Amino acid sequence: SPPQPGRTTLPAAGVTLPAELVGNLLVLEAPGDKSGPRRFLIDTGSSVTLVTPELARRSPGRVPAAVAGAPMRVRGAEGAVVELPRASLRRLELGAARFEDVDVLLHDCAAISAHLGTRIDGVLGFPLFREVLLTLDYPGRRVVLRPVDAAPGPEGVTVRFDDARKVPLVS
């Protein structure tokens, strides 16, 4: 089964995150360390969260014993199946939103970075947001995270989806 986040902490009012539109993709910038901020793509079609090995080394979390060292088979957008090592991040902060004990897969994002012309430290997959109401505002270049039970904002409506496959499929 896909890796899941351990705990999500979000202010009651939610969090609005500025995003950069790179091509047709939303890129979020998160605080980093002395090496600079972290940049993440959001991919709601991905059933896993990917981070670079370097990022995982800088914020190591506890990898469950049952999966430690065991690679996970994933299919990329181009259809190729690869095995990626599992790891865990102690904490991933996006503004005031905090995701703790985040299970991730390690992936070298150099090809994505080269394609987009900007450094990418990871790809935030759909399961990371399972405990939040996620709004992707492409024209406004922002991402809004609200508690799951929050009413939709005045700027939009909630679109329900079938999560039987753990990815958003809208009827």
Side-chain angles (χ1 to χ4, degrees), residues 53-87:
E54 183 262 337
L55 177 59
R57 276 192 301 274
R58 292 182 180 274
S59 182
R62 295 177 299 199
V63 179
V67 298
M72 183 173 174
R73 292 171 52 93
V74 295
R75 182 178 310 274
E78 71 289 343
V81 175
V82 296
E83 291 187 348
L84 298 176
R86 295 180 182 204

Side-chain angles (χ1 to χ4, degrees), residues 6 9-10 12 15 17 26 29 34 38 59 63 84 123-124 132-133 135 137 161 169:
T9 306
L10 188 66
V15 176
L17 305 165
L26 286 174
E29 193 169 283
K34 62 184 176 187
R38 303 294 180 198
S59 182
V63 179
L84 298 176
V123 178
L124 306 179
V132 301
L133 180 63
T135 302
D137 181 356
F161 64 90
L169 298 174

Side-chain angles (χ1 to χ4, degrees), residues 22-48:
V22 179
N24 291 322
L25 304 168
L26 286 174
V27 177
L28 292 178
E29 193 169 283
D33 53 19
K34 62 184 176 187
S35 64
R38 303 294 180 198
R39 297 172 57 80
F40 298 98
L41 289 179
I42 293 184
D43 183 357
T44 58
S46 178
S47 60
V48 296

Side-chain angles (χ1 to χ4, degrees), residues 33 38 40 49-63 85-92 102-107 121-122:
D33 53 19
R38 303 294 180 198
F40 298 98
T49 290
L50 307 171
V51 299
T52 62
E54 183 262 337
L55 177 59
R57 276 192 301 274
R58 292 182 180 274
S59 182
R62 295 177 299 199
V63 179
R86 295 180 182 204
S88 179
L89 297 181
R90 181 174 51 250
R91 183 179 354 196
L92 174 62
V102 180
D103 290 331
V104 297
L105 299 180
L106 303 181
H107 179 67
D121 297 293

